[in-house]
Amino acid sequence: MRDYGRTKDGRTVEAYTLRNAAGMEVKCISFGGILTSISVPDRQGGFANVALGFDNFAQYEAEHPYFGAITGRYANRIDGGAFALDDVDYRLFKNDGENSLHGGEVGFDKRIWTVSESDSALELSYRSPDGEEGYPGNLDVSVRYSLSEGNALQIDYAALTDAPTVVNLTNHSYFNLMGEGEGTIYDHILTLHADHYTPTDARQIPTGEKAPVDGTPFDFRQPKTIGSGQRSSHPQIIAAQGYDHNFVLNRAGLSDGELGLAARAYEPVSGRVLEVWTTEPGLQFYAGNFLDATLVGSSGRLYRQSDGFALETQHFPDSPNKPEFPSTVLRPGQRFESTTEYRFSTD
């Protein structure tokens, strides 16, 4: 642990490093639980940071596209910044046009988390008070980062509430397996274990349909480059300026709480491989469409469009307004639990 900086109102931000015997390092800060660096080897044994981010706290405190952060109380979008639960209407802060995105104006990505060390892991906790950003109920959240000797970063999420509420948590890391700042992710080869995705309207809100990926640029059931579809003329790709869609993961035969393989990304030059395993029903694949060369990354280089991709394991966007989607409602006496593993290797 070390001091990382001070917030504008004088609060201390701490930085932590997890390291295994193989030399893999994961760094995070107490502000937003942000993963600031993930250093893994290539096929020659050379290490590089494959997570986009900054080398100073001032940039993290300023506006940025959620690099490495825990997002909540509700990750992704809620239509119109509103939902009804038990016949009560709730109004949220609208920070994405008419939508509420990633928890609102001051979501979990901008909160100071309490961090403790336990068994070679980091335990982060935060109490979101009743009414914060418009959400009902006091929500006690914990997030555990642990690093295995096999180069797997595991993230365990848990939450308890004292009143009915909605919860959807994820980590918003952006990856470039060549190394952050090393160029576009167009030549990364991606596999997604999903037969369906959820199309969106012009405001990036799911229509409620679960559409087959077959015959569309959303078909990643067989490995293919990200760039081959990112530059497609498909109406959904044009509307979102690239991939920014939820995929319905194939979980047939898996029990609740059982990890299933969601995605595999491979970068041919470095040989680095990232596998994403999760207990969640959905995965938001975002190809960095709005990185616009205004942000200087930790290597001192500008991040341009599609210089990183996110694989956000979560429930579906706008589920509180879509009863046909898996429920995100959490009630007193229930415990929200979710696990995701980012497994790194070489090929």
Side-chain angles (χ1 to χ4, degrees):
M1 184 189 74
R2 64 181 178 86
D3 282 353
Y4 193 73
R6 299 286 187 275
T7 63
K8 292 176 181 177
D9 59 3
R11 292 173 296 161
T12 300
V13 176
E14 299 164 341
Y16 298 82
T17 301
L18 290 169
R19 182 184 301 110
N20 66 12
M24 178 176 168
E25 282 190 351
V26 176
K27 297 181 179 182
C28 81
I29 58 176
S30 56
F31 182 84
I34 291 171
L35 298 174
T36 60
S37 174
I38 302 174
S39 181
V40 296
D42 62 15
R43 65 163 63 92
Q44 305 299 327
F47 281 79
N49 170 26
V50 297
L52 274 62
F54 308 121
D55 64 359
N56 63 89
F57 176 64
Q59 286 181 281
Y60 283 117
E61 192 174 24
E63 185 176 353
H64 67 90
Y66 302 95
F67 285 144
I70 299 168
T71 53
R73 180 178 304 197
Y74 196 96
N76 220 307
R77 295 174 175 88
I78 293 181
D79 185 15
F83 67 94
L85 178 59
D86 296 340
D87 297 323
V88 179
D89 292 329
Y90 295 97
R91 302 292 175 181
L92 312 174
F93 188 90
K94 298 178 183 180
N95 60 327
D96 179 51
E98 288 300 305
N99 307 321
S100 181
L101 174 67
H102 294 324
E105 182 181 29
V106 186
F108 290 177
D109 60 296
K110 300 178 183 68
R111 303 292 180 178
I112 299 287
W113 293 66
T114 300
V115 184
S116 61
E117 301 174 41
S118 172
D119 299 328
S120 301
L122 295 174
E123 305 273 358
L124 292 79
S125 60
Y126 175 69
R127 165 163 273 213
S128 176
D130 178 41
E132 183 176 80
E133 295 297 316
Y135 290 94
N138 295 299
L139 189 74
D140 291 304
V141 186
S142 66
V143 177
R144 185 176 189 266
Y145 293 138
S146 57
L147 178 61
S148 77
E149 293 303 328
N151 287 357
L153 171 62
Q154 180 168 312
I155 308 178
D156 296 295
Y157 305 88
L160 297 170
T161 184
D162 62 3
T165 191
V166 294
V167 180
N168 191 26
L169 304 176
T170 193
N171 179 274
H172 206 300
S173 288
Y174 291 66
F175 299 101
N176 185 321
L177 297 180
M178 293 177 65
E180 66 81 29
E182 291 291 340
T184 75
I185 43 86
Y186 288 153
D187 292 333
H188 284 55
I189 298 171
L190 181 66
T191 309
L192 297 178
H193 292 267
D195 295 334
H196 296 82
Y197 77 106
T198 52
T200 59
D201 62 20
R203 295 174 298 115
Q204 291 299 101
I205 295 296
T207 62
E209 178 188 7
K210 296 176 184 176
V213 300
D214 189 43
T216 76
F218 298 92
D219 191 351
F220 284 91
R221 293 174 296 179
Q222 297 299 318
K224 69 178 184 181
T225 61
I226 292 173
S228 62
Q230 178 74 350
R231 294 169 287 196
S232 163
S233 60
H234 190 282
Q236 284 281 310
I237 298 292
I238 292 174
Q241 299 184 38
Y243 289 108
D244 189 8
H245 293 79
N246 170 67
F247 286 75
V248 181
L249 296 176
N250 298 337
R251 290 192 55 82
L254 296 174
S255 60
D256 290 344
E258 182 178 358
L259 287 170
L261 179 60
R264 182 183 191 270
Y266 168 58
E267 199 289 298
V269 176
S270 68
R272 292 188 180 96
V273 174
L274 167 61
E275 288 186 352
V276 181
W277 293 70
T278 188
T279 61
E280 287 289 295
L283 179 142
Q284 185 85 6
F285 169 41
Y286 175 52
N289 311 334
F290 297 102
L291 299 176
D292 59 1
T294 62
L295 298 172
V296 178
S298 55
S299 61
R301 285 168 283 193
L302 292 170
Y303 292 146
R304 301 159 298 173
Q305 185 178 33
S306 295
D307 274 1
F309 63 92
L311 297 170
E312 306 158 60
T313 57
Q314 56 191 271
H315 273 58
F316 304 168
D318 199 36
S319 290
N321 295 309
K322 298 288 191 299
E324 63 271 35
F325 286 174
S327 176
T328 55
V329 174
L330 182 69
R331 298 185 181 277
Q334 297 177 333
R335 178 180 172 88
F336 170 88
E337 291 184 320
S338 173
T339 296
T340 292
E341 284 188 5
Y342 295 106
R343 301 179 183 179
F344 294 91
S345 60
T346 58
D347 188 358

